[in-house]
Amino acid sequence: MERTAVNPWDWSLKLGYNQAEIIEGAKRQVTCAGQTAVDGNGVPQCAGDMRGQIALALDNLEAVLAKAGMDLSNVTRLGVYATDVDEALKNFDLLGMRFGPHNAAPPMTLLGVTRLAIPGLMFEIEATAAD
């Protein structure tokens, strides 16, 4: 798979994502459900801790991708939902720490929501990946 970044402006690069990417030569695509801060039994973790919830949601996303034979380098799009956008943005360095080593800056949308499916969860991340 070959990725070509499309960035008519550079401001999004400072936030860790491309405006678009051209994906060529992909053989498989995986669509991941939203991942949150739950344990292996689906029990919410890190109550009241946005940073902890982002870290665990990313762990869970990586686990789903690994089960599909992929990793964060394969992610072509992210959808992020947060009950407190400002607090999520304060902790977005975690995304850079995870995606940076893969040289990945997938296009992303961040939406503020009043709540997520399970009370107490503050952050959810969904992904599309290809190889």
Side-chain angles (χ1 to χ4, degrees):
M1 172 179 79
E2 183 179 329
R3 302 165 76 124
T4 304
V6 178
N7 290 299
W9 319 278
D10 66 355
W11 62 263
S12 66
L13 297 175
K14 297 171 190 165
L15 297 173
Y17 68 94
N18 290 312
Q19 290 292 319
E21 288 185 338
I22 299 167
I23 306 296
E24 297 179 276
K27 298 176 195 164
R28 292 187 310 147
Q29 178 173 307
V30 173
T31 303
C32 301
Q35 299 300 308
T36 59
V38 296
D39 65 14
N41 295 312
V43 177
Q45 305 294 306
C46 309
D49 176 10
M50 179 67 80
R51 191 168 187 84
Q53 288 201 15
I54 292 172
L56 184 51
L58 288 167
D59 289 347
N60 290 341
L61 176 59
E62 288 190 273
V64 171
L65 290 168
K67 190 72 172 176
M70 296 186 184
D71 61 32
L72 294 178
S73 69
N74 298 104
V75 174
T76 60
R77 185 183 183 295
L78 291 172
V80 178
Y81 307 90
T83 58
D84 184 337
V85 170
D86 293 328
E87 191 63 24
L89 286 171
K90 287 179 193 174
N91 292 286
F92 256 43
D93 63 307
L94 291 172
L95 275 76
M97 291 166 56
R98 297 289 183 95
F99 282 90
H102 296 280
N103 293 317
M108 173 189 329
T109 299
L110 168 60
L111 294 174
V113 296
T114 55
R115 67 161 277 198
L116 296 170
I118 300 173
L121 292 177
M122 303 181 295
F123 184 86
E124 185 164 347
I125 187 167
E126 61 185 17
T128 303
D131 67 3

